[in-house]
Amino acid sequence: MKRRDIFKGLTLLPLTGGVLGGMLPSGSAAAEPPAPKRDFFKELGVTPIINAGVTMTFLSGSLMMPEVLEAINSTAHDFANMYELQDKVGAKMAEMLQCEAAMVTSGASCAILLGTAAAITGTDAAKIKQLPNLPGPRPEVIMQKSHRYLFDQAVSTTGAKIIEVEGPAEMEQAFNANTVMALFFNAAGSSSVPHEEFLAIAKRHQIPAFIDAAADVPPVENLFRFQKMGFDLITFSGGKMIRGPQSAGLLFGRKDLIEAAKLNHSPHEAPIGRPCKVNKEEMFGMYAALKSYLERDHKKEWQDWLDRISRIKSRIETIPGVKGETYTDPGPANAFPCLRVSWDQQKVKVEPEDVLAALKNGTPSIVANMAHDGAEKMLSVGVVLLRPEQVDIVARRLKEILHKMA
Ligand SMILES: *Cc1c(COP(=O)(O)O)cnc(C)c1O
């Protein structure tokens, strides 16, 4: 923290103790004892959790990058016109993402809602006002049967009907006058119509193609891949590995569709996206997160993750019968390395489920996951969301628990 910032905050602090009481410290290197930190977790009795897993909304997504917190804190003091802010943040992000247009949404789910709404209404004010209760037949969104997932509820929320297809021929057949969009779920296990063919068919019918790649960085290249392929709309979550605000996301692609999506969103009072408001700080924060993510040394970050895994692995392998292995998820979602831990059940007499429970119920509370390799159950210990000092805490707790059973 800069001295200037400390002084700026002075009026907000109770002037306790001698340091701030009479005299302001002089000299830039004065050791100022940190003000006693207000512990909101404690105040509310909420358990802080160490996330040795992957980004999960129920575990509050990700931890924001320092740059994001800086953007949030440093912009909170002034008002901004939200139309202007969304436009300017969007223009900058579009430049960074090498696409026509971009906007900040309240997460990828909101992006799916707004993208669908945009495809239905365009910039027609009457339609925007009426959505989801448009007169006439319901708008239709085409999806592959194997791509149906929980998040397509955001499509249905607009009143659109999802038409399931399997294979290129069925997809070709499904288009009619009510079709407004085709949605591709990038991390679906299988696709009967692969990306390129999906795009070719949608283009032939002049229908926008939307791809949900919410959790699909790393690799960072994915942030550029789908606009190059020809998708008209693309979403990524802001609060996963991009490490922006949990309640922010990216929607980007074709300019006319982004303009229509904005008309369906807050700060307009009436449209379907109004309940998905994004605040000023989240917009600045999302911008800062994207910039920081694109500028990061991804090779170095990956190596750091491998080093973390080695550190935990070498600690727990001192227990006879315990084995650690680096496992890299093939993705597209959560495509990063983690540590898989298994053990000889003759030597360490405990089930993986019980170790998970002990980690979770211990202090500090640590959440890890189960993994399966064929019939074999094992622990999956994630390292990418740990703060640096938490790597050793996870190693120590894991070792303690396994050791007790050995
Ligand atoms: C996480 C996720 C979402 C929802 O994203 P939010 O940013 O939490 O709204 C949507 N689709 C997929 C594939 C996801 O992984």
Side-chain angles (χ1 to χ4, degrees):
M1 199 189 263
K2 291 196 199 94
R3 274 167 59 81
R4 184 163 38 88
D5 297 330
I6 293 171
F7 291 164
K8 234 193 305 187
L10 275 183
T11 49
L12 302 173
L13 295 169
L15 298 180
T16 54
V19 178
L20 301 174
M23 215 167 47
L24 291 173
S26 60
S28 59
E32 294 145 358
K37 211 172 106 202
R38 185 171 171 190
D39 188 339
F40 285 93
F41 276 90
K42 210 167 183 178
E43 197 167 314
L44 293 172
V46 174
T47 310
I49 291 169
I50 293 179
N51 188 349
V54 297
T55 57
M56 300 288 288
T57 289
F58 92 97
L59 282 180
S60 63
S62 199
L63 295 182
M64 289 181 273
M65 289 298 290
E67 294 91 321
V68 178
L69 293 170
E70 182 197 12
I72 289 173
N73 284 318
S74 66
T75 58
H77 309 288
D78 291 297
F79 291 92
N81 179 306
M82 293 303 286
Y83 296 108
E84 181 193 6
L85 178 57
Q86 180 71 285
D87 286 350
K88 298 237 162 106
V89 162
K92 204 73 190 167
M93 294 195 314
E95 204 180 294
M96 292 193 274
L97 293 167
Q98 300 162 20
C99 63
E100 282 180 26
M103 68 184 290
V104 184
T105 65
S106 64
S109 260
C110 168
I112 298 167
L113 173 78
L114 294 181
T116 311
I120 296 171
T121 65
T123 55
D124 184 325
K127 284 186 180 167
I128 290 169
K129 194 158 176 234
Q130 286 175 84
L131 204 67
N133 300 305
L134 289 178
R138 287 170 71 187
E140 295 180 5
V141 170
I142 293 173
M143 283 185 77
Q144 303 182 49
K145 200 172 276 178
S146 62
H147 286 205
R148 292 298 309 272
Y149 63 152
L150 289 170
F151 291 107
D152 65 36
Q153 180 75 19
V155 170
S156 315
T157 302
T158 64
K161 188 160 77 181
I162 293 171
I163 306 297
E164 289 182 7
V165 299
E166 207 170 336
E170 236 178 79
M171 179 169 173
E172 194 75 63
Q173 290 291 313
F175 288 85
N176 63 51
N178 301 322
T179 309
V180 293
M181 196 175 87
L183 176 62
F184 196 103
F185 169 28
N186 193 50
S190 67
S191 298
S192 58
V193 192
H195 295 85
E196 280 80 6
E197 207 167 2
F198 188 91
L199 280 168
I201 298 172
K203 293 247 177 287
R204 215 158 30 243
H205 293 272
Q206 296 181 316
I207 291 296
F210 187 133
I211 188 161
D212 173 2
D216 302 351
V217 287
V220 61
E221 290 78 20
N222 277 356
L223 281 167
F224 303 93
R225 189 165 153 230
F226 304 112
Q227 56 274 46
K228 279 190 198 131
M229 267 186 187
F231 278 94
D232 304 283
L233 286 172
I234 298 148
T235 186
F236 284 85
S237 288
K240 290 178 183 164
M241 293 302 279
I242 298 176
R243 295 185 59 186
Q246 147 151 294
S247 50
L250 298 171
L251 177 63
F252 56 97
R254 236 169 69 190
K255 197 173 172 83
D256 61 319
L257 289 169
I258 297 298
E259 284 312 312
K262 286 185 197 167
L263 294 174
N264 277 286
H265 195 212
S266 174
H268 296 281
E269 286 83 4
I272 194 157
R274 172 61 193 236
C276 312
K277 183 190 281 186
V278 180
N279 72 29
K280 168 182 52 120
E281 291 78 8
E282 288 167 322
M283 289 207 189
F284 281 113
M286 190 64 241
Y287 160 71
L290 180 62
K291 188 161 170 13
S292 152
Y293 188 72
L294 292 176
E295 289 170 356
R296 195 167 314 165
D297 184 340
H298 294 274
K299 271 210 187 89
K300 186 163 160 271
E301 185 179 54
W302 192 276
Q303 187 56 49
D304 177 48
W305 292 338
L306 295 178
D307 293 346
R308 290 172 168 211
I309 289 170
S310 306
R311 230 156 85 206
I312 302 175
K313 176 174 144 79
S314 65
R315 294 275 287 275
I316 57 168
E317 280 186 343
T318 55
I319 304 171
V322 173
K323 193 168 75 103
E325 214 173 340
T326 305
Y327 173 80
T328 301
D329 196 302
N334 302 321
F336 39 74
C338 70
L339 173 66
R340 285 191 162 181
V341 184
S342 55
W343 52 88
D344 180 346
Q345 299 250 343
Q346 301 300 316
K347 291 188 177 141
V348 181
K349 297 179 182 61
V350 64
E351 294 289 329
E353 289 92 335
D354 300 324
V355 177
L356 282 186
L359 283 169
K360 179 164 170 277
N361 299 328
T363 307
S365 177
I366 299 169
V367 174
N369 290 304
M370 290 277 289
H372 298 268
D373 187 4
E376 195 189 354
K377 283 186 297 188
M378 50 188 78
L379 286 188
S380 171
V381 179
V383 297
V384 303
L385 300 175
L386 300 178
R387 298 203 313 259
E389 75 277 13
Q390 292 176 335
V391 177
D392 288 331
I393 298 177
V394 170
R396 177 171 52 80
R397 283 293 298 141
L398 200 50
K399 189 175 166 182
E400 275 170 10
I401 293 164
L402 290 169
H403 188 71
K404 229 184 282 170
M405 308 296 172

